[in-house]
């Protein structure tokens, strides 16, 4: 699964291509205060279903709860963004990562 993360300045649309995925949404941590993140919503999306999130809806984590069944999702971000923040679920601490995409022919790296 993914760490808890945001989508700064971007909309995120995602589709479950195979299997199922659990999306857990959290409230943004209250300005600078260290505290455990609060779950606001959790849902399971099945193959063929689509979802959407942006920062006005909170931050989220995507996970495959199965130990045996694969899960494949496709995520589209618009507009593309250059940084993403991950959040420690226990403390709310934020870490920024730079997202780098070189060209369509090259692999995207984080």
């Amino acid at each position: 699964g993914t760490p808890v993360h945001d989508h700064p300045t971007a909309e995120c649309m995602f589709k479950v291509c195979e299997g199922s995925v659990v999306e857990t949404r959290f409230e943004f941590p209250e300005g600078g205060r260290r505290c455990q993140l609060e779950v606001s919503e959790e849902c399971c999306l099945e193959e063929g279903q689509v979802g959407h999130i942006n920062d006005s809806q909170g931050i989220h984590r995507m996970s495959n709860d199965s130990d045996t069944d694969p899960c494949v999702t496709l995520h589209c971000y618009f507009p593309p963004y250059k940084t993403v923040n991950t959040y420690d679920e226990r403390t709310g601490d934020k870490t920024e990562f730079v997202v780098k995409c070189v060209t369509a022919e090259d692999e995207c790296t984080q």
Side-chain angles (χ1 to χ4, degrees), residues 13-17 48-51 72-75:
M13 298 291 297
F14 52 92
K15 180 175 183 172
V16 182
C17 301
Q49 290 186 295
V50 296
V72 177
T73 58
L74 174 66
H75 298 248

Side-chain angles (χ1 to χ4, degrees), residues 81-100:
Y81 56 90
K82 297 181 190 238
T83 63
V84 63
N85 298 301
T86 62
Y87 297 83
D88 185 307
E89 194 173 335
R90 296 163 298 158
T91 65
D93 289 344
K94 176 172 75 171
T95 304
E96 182 180 77
F97 291 92
V98 175
V99 178
K100 298 176 187 174

Side-chain angles (χ1 to χ4, degrees), residues 15-41:
K15 180 175 183 172
V16 182
C17 301
E18 182 180 342
S20 63
V21 66
V22 175
E23 179 191 23
T24 307
R25 292 187 182 192
F26 301 84
E27 300 291 337
F28 268 100
E30 303 257 342
R33 203 176 101 231
R34 293 189 74 180
C35 61
Q36 185 170 352
L37 295 179
E38 183 179 327
V39 174
S40 61
E41 182 180 354

